[in-house]
């Protein structure tokens, strides 16, 4: 039996500029074009988000920044500006590559056994900007990886994209036992925030943030063990009735997130059916609905798409408050960083939740479609 691929040396970073949720709320609620109803929706969405702080690459969004020619926020007037998609993407090109390279470098430096020359594949993940040659090229050049490294980009898939990226990495390792796959996710969601009276846009504005994560996936045996997760099994589920409720489109003034207030209920109502195939007897020795999943799975790495989504997942899967703690804490401290977020939750489970060798982990993330991507993992700590 072949050795399972291991996700190891998981690292996460955020930009330097901190956004306090209450301060951002007040800025958005004070925009002069908003009617009284929209102002109330802004206040309710921000107050109920479960978020204290978020991070952004846009220094000018800070209330203390002194920007000579503001493009996104004029601090003197308090007005949120509306730059074009071209302007927003130019900022992505300027800022994203630094986070890609930094996250990738940190992952390699954190690994006690893997060096740059060992890397055979690079997978980059993002849905918040585009350019070519892209971040995969930047990583290879900046870190001195072999020029014949295979490079792949998972683009514009949304919040769930790190899960299929890990699945692809595991498949590369199954096909080539010597493969070492570097997976890097960078999302600059704040580039696309804007003032709006649309309730769906307001909800998105109250949630999204910037962040980056990277890890190494390999089935090779190295002299030094790095704590991580064995990638045991993946599953994709679709909730087709939610297609119109979660989407990601390109507009003239940035990318446009459709995130309706119906999403939490849709996920709650359908999550059991969407994920049950992953929990059949071959995987856990029990079925999904026989009441023993909580005993078999110790840790749950749920993508915190929003507080209401976590509430519905907790309710419908019968999870404990402690099992949702890492997801809620990531949401509170960092907001929703799209595809990078579930990697933040996995790192928290490994480093802050007392995960022990051999414990089972269920990870899942939701995105456009509605698509639910999930994985079963096993903690590898020794």
């Amino acid at each position: 039996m072949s050795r399972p691929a291991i996700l190891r040396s998981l690292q996460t970073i955020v930009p330097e500029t901190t956004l306090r949720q209450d301060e951002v709320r007040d800025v958005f609620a004070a925009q002069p074009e908003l009617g009284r109803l929209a102002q109330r929706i802004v206040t309710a969405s921000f107050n109920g988000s479960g978020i204290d702080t978020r991070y952004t690459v846009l220094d000018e969004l800070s209330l203390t920044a002194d920007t000579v020619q503001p493009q996104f926020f004029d601090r003197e007037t308090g007005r949120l500006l509306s730059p074009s998609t071209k302007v927003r993407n130019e900022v992505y090109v300027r800022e994203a590559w630094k986070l890609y390279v930094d996250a990738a470098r940190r992952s390699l430096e954190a690994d006690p056994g893997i060096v740059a020359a060992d890397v055979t594949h690079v997978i980059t993940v993002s849905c918040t900007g585009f350019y070519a040659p892209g971040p995969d090229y930047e990583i290879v050049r900046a870190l001195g990886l072999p020029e014949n490294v295979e490079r792949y980009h998972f683009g514009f898939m949304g919040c769930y994209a790190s899960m299929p990226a890990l699945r692809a990495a595991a498949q590369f390792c199954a096909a080539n036992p010597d493969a070492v796959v570097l997976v890097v996710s960078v999302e600059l969601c704040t580039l696309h925030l804007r003032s709006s009276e649309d309730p769906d846009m307001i909800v998105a504005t109250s949630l999204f943030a910037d962040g980056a994560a990277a890890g190494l996936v390999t089935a090779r045996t190295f002299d030094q063990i790095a704590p991580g997760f064995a990638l045991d099994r993946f599953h994709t589920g679709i909730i087709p009735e939610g297609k119109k409720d979660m989407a990601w489109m390109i507009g003239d003034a940035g990318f446009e997130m459709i995130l309706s207030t119906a999403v939490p209920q849709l996920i709650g109502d359908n999550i059991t059916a969407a994920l049950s195939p992953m929990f059949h007897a071959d995987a856990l020795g029990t079925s999904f609905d026989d009441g023993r999943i909580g005993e078999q799975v110790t840790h749950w790495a749920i993508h915190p798409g929003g507080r209401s989504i976590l509430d519905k997942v907790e309710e419908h899967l019968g999870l404990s408050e402690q099992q949702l703690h890492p997801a809620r804490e990531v949401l509170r401290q960092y907001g929703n960083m799209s595809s990078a977020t579930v990697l933040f939750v996995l790192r928290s489970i490994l480093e802050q939740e007392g995960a022990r060798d051999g414990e089972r982990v269920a990870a899942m993330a939701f995105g456009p479609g509605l698509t639910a991507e999930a994985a079963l993992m096993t903690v590898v700590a020794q």
Side-chain angles (χ1 to χ4, degrees):
M1 184 175 179
S2 61
R3 173 181 165 86
I6 309 295
L7 169 63
R8 51 192 277 167
S9 301
L10 191 55
Q11 296 292 300
T12 57
I13 56 176
V14 292
E16 293 182 358
T17 300
T18 305
L19 300 177
R20 289 178 49 87
Q21 187 74 335
D22 55 348
E23 294 176 348
V24 180
R25 175 202 63 205
D26 293 344
V27 168
F28 274 83
Q31 296 308 298
E33 70 274 10
L34 294 188
R36 189 170 300 176
L37 175 59
Q39 290 175 338
R40 289 201 295 266
I41 295 173
V42 167
T43 300
S45 295
F46 278 77
N47 288 349
S49 66
I51 297 170
D52 290 344
T53 52
R54 293 185 273 173
Y55 294 85
T56 178
V57 296
L58 296 170
D59 294 342
E60 64 182 87
L61 292 185
S62 168
L63 296 184
T64 60
D66 186 13
T67 306
V68 177
Q69 293 182 316
Q71 294 179 301
F72 291 81
F73 176 58
D74 186 338
R75 187 163 63 92
E76 291 188 3
T77 65
R79 291 295 303 269
L80 289 163
L81 308 178
S82 185
S84 67
T85 300
K86 181 178 186 294
V87 168
R88 296 174 194 262
N89 198 66
E90 286 173 345
V91 178
Y92 180 92
V93 174
R94 185 179 72 233
E95 299 293 338
W97 75 269
K98 293 180 283 189
L99 291 171
Y100 275 108
V101 171
D102 192 10
R105 179 180 287 113
R106 292 190 189 195
S107 182
L108 278 169
E109 290 177 347
D111 199 289
I114 297 175
V115 298
D118 295 318
V119 176
T120 58
H121 302 69
V122 172
I123 299 176
T124 53
V125 183
S126 188
C127 67
T128 48
F130 302 95
Y131 65 101
D136 51 322
Y137 174 89
E138 304 277 10
I139 291 169
V140 170
R141 299 287 291 176
L143 301 187
L145 305 185
E147 291 188 357
N148 65 344
V149 163
E150 295 184 27
R151 309 185 334 246
Y152 303 89
H153 182 66
F154 283 45
F156 216 69
M157 297 176 71
C159 294
Y160 64 80
S162 285
M163 301 298 285
L166 293 178
R167 179 172 54 208
Q171 291 170 342
F172 290 151
C173 294
N176 175 8
D178 292 326
V180 175
V181 187
L182 175 59
V183 179
V184 190
S185 167
V186 173
E187 300 288 11
L188 305 186
C189 303
T190 63
L191 298 184
H192 304 290
L193 300 184
R194 78 203 68 187
S195 178
S196 173
E197 290 198 311
D198 182 345
D200 294 348
M201 189 71 71
I202 292 173
V203 170
T205 298
S206 72
L207 295 172
F208 285 97
D210 301 349
L216 293 157
V217 177
T218 185
R220 285 176 59 181
T221 300
F222 291 88
D223 293 336
Q224 298 92 345
I225 294 176
F229 303 94
L231 303 178
D232 300 322
R233 185 179 180 85
F234 291 88
H235 176 69
T236 300
I238 294 178
I239 306 170
E241 54 266 48
K243 179 181 178 181
K244 68 180 186 304
D245 293 288
M246 187 183 291
W248 193 218
M249 310 295 287
I250 297 178
D252 292 335
F255 300 172
E256 299 175 354
M257 165 57 73
I258 298 170
L259 185 64
S260 85
T261 54
V263 167
Q265 188 64 49
L266 283 166
I267 290 175
D269 290 345
N270 293 276
I271 191 169
T272 300
L275 299 179
S276 59
M278 190 177 71
F279 291 90
H280 64 59
D282 289 345
L284 287 174
T286 185
S287 64
F288 185 76
D289 57 358
D290 72 358
R292 294 184 55 213
I293 290 298
E295 301 172 12
Q296 299 283 340
V297 177
T298 306
H299 304 283
W300 291 78
I302 309 298
H303 166 69
R307 192 183 75 174
S308 297
I309 289 176
L310 293 178
D311 290 345
K312 290 297 182 182
V313 170
E314 181 176 337
E315 173 189 350
H316 285 265
L317 295 185
L319 304 183
S320 69
E321 182 178 335
Q322 182 60 36
Q323 286 173 314
L324 265 293
H325 179 260
R328 293 192 190 278
E329 274 299 289
V330 167
L331 181 66
R332 184 184 68 82
Q333 296 180 52
Y334 304 107
N336 181 344
M337 300 163 286
S338 192
S339 68
T341 319
V342 72
L343 301 179
F344 275 69
V345 179
L346 284 168
R347 186 182 183 190
S348 175
I349 287 171
L350 195 63
E351 298 183 0
Q352 300 173 26
E353 297 295 319
R356 294 180 294 181
D357 190 67
E359 290 180 338
R360 302 305 297 270
V361 179
M364 63 187 73
F366 314 99
L370 268 161
T371 301
E373 289 280 356
L376 281 174
M377 307 178 184
T378 303
V379 176
V380 177
Q382 62 184 27

